[in-house]
Amino acid sequence: MDSIAVKPPSGAALASPKVTKNAKTAAVTANSMESSVAFGCEHVRELFEEAKKAATRNYIQILQTIHDKPSIIAQTHRSTANADGRSVVSLRPLYLCLQCPNVMTEEVRDGHFDAKGHAFSVESREGYLYCHPCADYVYDPALETLRLQKGKKRKHEEMNSPDNSQLIRHNSTFVPCRAIGLRGLYNMGQTCFMSVILQTLLHNPFVRNFYLAEGHKPADCEKDACVSCAMDEIIIEFHSAEKTEGYGAVSMLLGSWMAAQALAGYQQQDAHEYMQFILNTLHLENGGSTDSHGSDCGCIIHQTFAGMLQSTVTCDKCRNVTTALDPVMDLSLDLRSQAKKRKLQQSGDGGDKDFAIDIRDCLDRFTGRERLAAAEYTCGNCGGQQQNATKQLSIKRLPPVLPIHLKRFEHSKSSSSKLETKIKFPLTLDMYPYTTHCKTTAPTTKASLKNPSLSNLNSSQNINSPYPSLYYELSSVVVHKGKIDSGHYVSYSREGNDWFLFDDSKVVLVPESEVLAANAYLLFYMVGALEV
């Protein structure tokens, strides 16, 4: 790609042309359909005056990279997290500089403009042109024609004949950028448990993109009251029309009742149990079977949520190690033992009674060593004798989306109770310390990297190497308010950089601080990046 040097633009930035609606028909007007502007903005005009030929050639090359080559190429950039330059696959759109061969994240894009003065970049999914001085995407007629052609050599007249233009004007429906799934769900009689789980799936990019790409085709489905068809109906509705009123998920409720008799009726249900139900049902209705396991099932649900736990038991006498693998769709973390431990610490220190447990402490306990009495373990290597042993769980394989269930509800024969203990959880969670790889290799904690005598490090290991990490970003939070038998569920989900509260049919923009202060019941973390 040719490098283009353009003098950084000066003066006030000009706004890009906007698409307007006809107030009566809500259709796109003819003048807005075929824009008559000469340039996308003043900065594009300056670019074309100085280097139009090179800019056009570079734009065509970028479009060909996006549309003709494997999609992973345009989504791969050099990591700047540890200054090691590793290739990382981003799950969010990247930006390809129009004036040099750089592929950047949104943050690096802004710094690139400050350092190099390169004002234009191309979005990696659809090829939209971003102008940094305008701080917006801009519509330029010449470049838009190339974008629609996807970098291929086709005459403009072949695509935009008078007959086609007239056909487009009379049959097109205006779809605004606001149709991004920000819509509530009506409560149809204590159905908030269903609504919060549906909202987490609606804002899960893996599940959402599967349905928007016609991964499940209702026209070809012969099942009555199909839950997957109902999910397709909701996602298409939420992403195809600009509506602010709530949506009645009648088909989903009926499908749930038909698939599980325990859900039938208008009693309050547990959101975690409903999540397990709908994930299993969507698995079965999208190519999965009852014999499929997380390791070999190719359905969208297992590709998104399926992980693997490893249980390791070590005999205290002969040190024989036995391992077992267990597929999981979520992690269930115990709170009561952590709450008791923290309460004792607080009472001993005379601290604040309104204490909070850090979720990382719960994960440490979940993957910590557990003593097994001789009555609980029989060692095959010791001739079938009962021996004391040590058991440890670790995460063998992490899924792209990791649901974490916090055990707030306890049930016994005589009563049920809810644990109101506050849980601290971060926006970004490093899952590497809880993986099998971390547990079974030489310790590489930050303390041991600073002081090699603290651990038995490999001689081949570089002490100065970056600390291993597997970062997950918080994407949704489900909260249960009130008592166990008369409570209400709400959820928070992230859309872009903004957080929204979903309370039945009400949708409210909320600050990040409110999300982190929520008394969470379910947490959904999504992998930040995929290395190649």
Side-chain angles (χ1 to χ4, degrees), residues 18-30 32-33 173-178 241-243:
K18 305 297 180 184
V19 176
T20 59
K21 280 189 187 178
N22 183 306
K24 295 182 179 179
T25 64
V28 180
T29 62
S32 66
M33 186 71 76
T173 301
F174 180 72
V175 180
C177 296
R178 281 189 58 193
E242 180 183 5
K243 296 180 181 178

Side-chain angles (χ1 to χ4, degrees), residues 73 248 327 339 342 376 392 417 445 447 489:
I73 294 178
R342 184 59 60 89
E376 301 178 81
Q392 184 174 38
S417 61
T445 62
Y489 285 102

Side-chain angles (χ1 to χ4, degrees), residues 395-447:
I395 304 175
K396 181 70 173 180
R397 187 182 69 242
L398 281 162
V401 178
L402 176 66
I404 298 178
H405 168 227
L406 305 174
K407 295 181 179 179
R408 292 195 177 276
F409 302 134
E410 289 190 344
H411 303 278
S412 64
K413 293 182 179 180
S414 59
S415 64
S416 298
S417 61
K418 177 185 175 185
L419 193 64
E420 295 285 359
T421 306
K422 290 186 177 180
I423 304 296
K424 291 172 57 180
F425 51 91
L427 289 173
T428 302
L429 178 63
D430 184 7
M431 291 300 298
Y432 178 76
Y434 318 109
T435 61
T436 303
H437 184 271
C438 179
K439 300 292 185 182
T440 56
T441 55
T444 55
T445 62
K446 293 179 180 179

Side-chain angles (χ1 to χ4, degrees), residues 358-471:
D358 195 302
I359 191 173
R360 285 162 288 207
D361 293 336
C362 297
L363 287 167
D364 284 336
R365 187 181 185 281
F366 181 76
T367 57
R369 296 178 182 274
E370 175 188 356
R371 297 292 300 165
L372 295 180
E376 301 178 81
Y377 174 70
T378 301
C379 181
N381 199 47
C382 293
Q385 297 181 359
Q386 292 183 331
Q387 302 287 355
N388 293 327
T390 303
K391 179 182 178 180
Q392 184 174 38
L393 287 177
S394 59
I395 304 175
K396 181 70 173 180
R397 187 182 69 242
L398 281 162
V401 178
L402 176 66
I404 298 178
H405 168 227
L406 305 174
K407 295 181 179 179
R408 292 195 177 276
F409 302 134
E410 289 190 344
H411 303 278
S412 64
K413 293 182 179 180
S414 59
S415 64
S416 298
S417 61
K418 177 185 175 185
L419 193 64
E420 295 285 359
T421 306
K422 290 186 177 180
I423 304 296
K424 291 172 57 180
F425 51 91
L427 289 173
T428 302
L429 178 63
D430 184 7
M431 291 300 298
Y432 178 76
Y434 318 109
T435 61
T436 303
H437 184 271
C438 179
K439 300 292 185 182
T440 56
T441 55
T444 55
T445 62
K446 293 179 180 179
S448 67
L449 288 175
K450 292 179 180 179
N451 186 358
S453 64
L454 296 179
S455 63
N456 183 24
L457 291 176
N458 254 318
S459 60
S460 61
Q461 186 171 5
N462 183 0
I463 297 177
N464 297 318
S465 62
Y467 180 70
S469 58
L470 285 172
Y471 289 116

Side-chain angles (χ1 to χ4, degrees), residues 121-314:
S121 55
V122 181
E123 183 264 342
S124 63
R125 299 283 175 80
E126 298 294 334
Y128 296 113
L129 183 69
Y130 181 85
C131 175
H132 193 282
C134 291
D136 200 358
Y137 293 98
V138 296
Y139 170 91
D140 180 84
L143 296 181
E144 180 65 8
T145 299
L146 295 173
R147 191 188 72 81
L148 293 174
Q149 296 174 358
K150 299 182 178 181
K152 298 178 181 179
K153 295 181 179 180
R154 293 182 62 187
K155 293 182 179 180
H156 182 72
E157 292 76 11
E158 293 179 0
M159 301 175 61
N160 296 278
S161 65
D163 292 339
N164 286 343
S165 298
Q166 185 177 3
L167 187 65
I168 290 172
R169 282 195 296 271
H170 287 89
N171 294 279
S172 295
T173 301
F174 180 72
V175 180
C177 296
R178 281 189 58 193
I180 53 175
L182 293 178
R183 192 172 169 187
L185 294 163
Y186 287 124
N187 193 323
M188 297 176 289
Q190 298 197 52
T191 56
C192 56
F193 70 92
M194 179 181 75
S195 297
V196 292
I197 299 302
L198 292 180
Q199 290 291 1
T200 64
L201 294 177
L202 288 167
H203 296 277
N204 181 315
F206 299 99
V207 176
R208 179 187 62 212
N209 293 346
F210 170 79
Y211 283 97
L212 290 178
E214 296 187 330
H216 181 87
K217 298 181 179 180
D220 299 336
C221 183
E222 299 179 354
K223 183 177 180 180
D224 293 333
C226 175
V227 171
S228 190
C229 289
M231 177 61 68
D232 180 85
E233 176 185 312
I234 296 173
I235 290 180
I236 296 302
E237 172 71 19
F238 277 37
H239 290 84
S240 62
E242 180 183 5
K243 296 180 181 178
T244 55
E245 70 272 16
Y247 177 83
V250 178
S251 298
M252 179 61 73
L253 184 61
L254 177 61
S256 299
W257 286 1
M258 297 290 287
Q261 292 184 356
L263 296 174
Y266 295 99
Q267 300 85 8
Q268 181 65 277
Q269 303 286 346
D270 182 79
H272 176 241
E273 292 179 358
Y274 184 76
M275 182 195 76
Q276 293 178 317
F277 154 77
I278 195 171
L279 292 184
N280 183 61
T281 304
L282 293 176
H283 152 70
L284 295 174
E285 295 176 349
N286 287 284
S289 68
T290 54
D291 298 328
S292 300
H293 299 288
S295 59
D296 55 11
C297 182
C299 79
I300 181 60
I301 298 303
H302 277 87
Q303 287 181 343
T304 303
F305 296 100
M308 190 74 70
L309 289 180
Q310 177 172 299
S311 174
T312 303
V313 179
T314 305

Side-chain angles (χ1 to χ4, degrees), residues 13 43 109-111 113-114 118-121 130-136:
H43 313 106
R109 176 199 69 192
D110 297 338
F113 171 74
D114 296 334
H118 293 175
F120 303 97
S121 55
Y130 181 85
C131 175
H132 193 282
C134 291
D136 200 358

Side-chain angles (χ1 to χ4, degrees), residues 302-373:
H302 277 87
Q303 287 181 343
T304 303
F305 296 100
M308 190 74 70
L309 289 180
Q310 177 172 299
S311 174
T312 303
V313 179
T314 305
C315 177
D316 286 356
K317 182 178 182 180
C318 68
R319 310 308 298 171
N320 179 56
V321 177
T322 57
T323 60
L325 298 178
D326 183 26
V328 293
M329 302 293 278
D330 61 75
L331 298 181
S332 289
L333 303 183
D334 178 55
L335 300 184
R336 183 163 294 278
S337 59
Q338 287 295 112
K340 289 180 180 179
K341 179 180 178 182
R342 184 59 60 89
K343 187 175 290 187
L344 290 174
Q345 292 175 348
Q346 292 289 332
S347 60
D349 299 337
D352 186 6
K353 294 182 180 180
D354 191 20
F355 64 90
I357 300 174
D358 195 302
I359 191 173
R360 285 162 288 207
D361 293 336
C362 297
L363 287 167
D364 284 336
R365 187 181 185 281
F366 181 76
T367 57
R369 296 178 182 274
E370 175 188 356
R371 297 292 300 165
L372 295 180

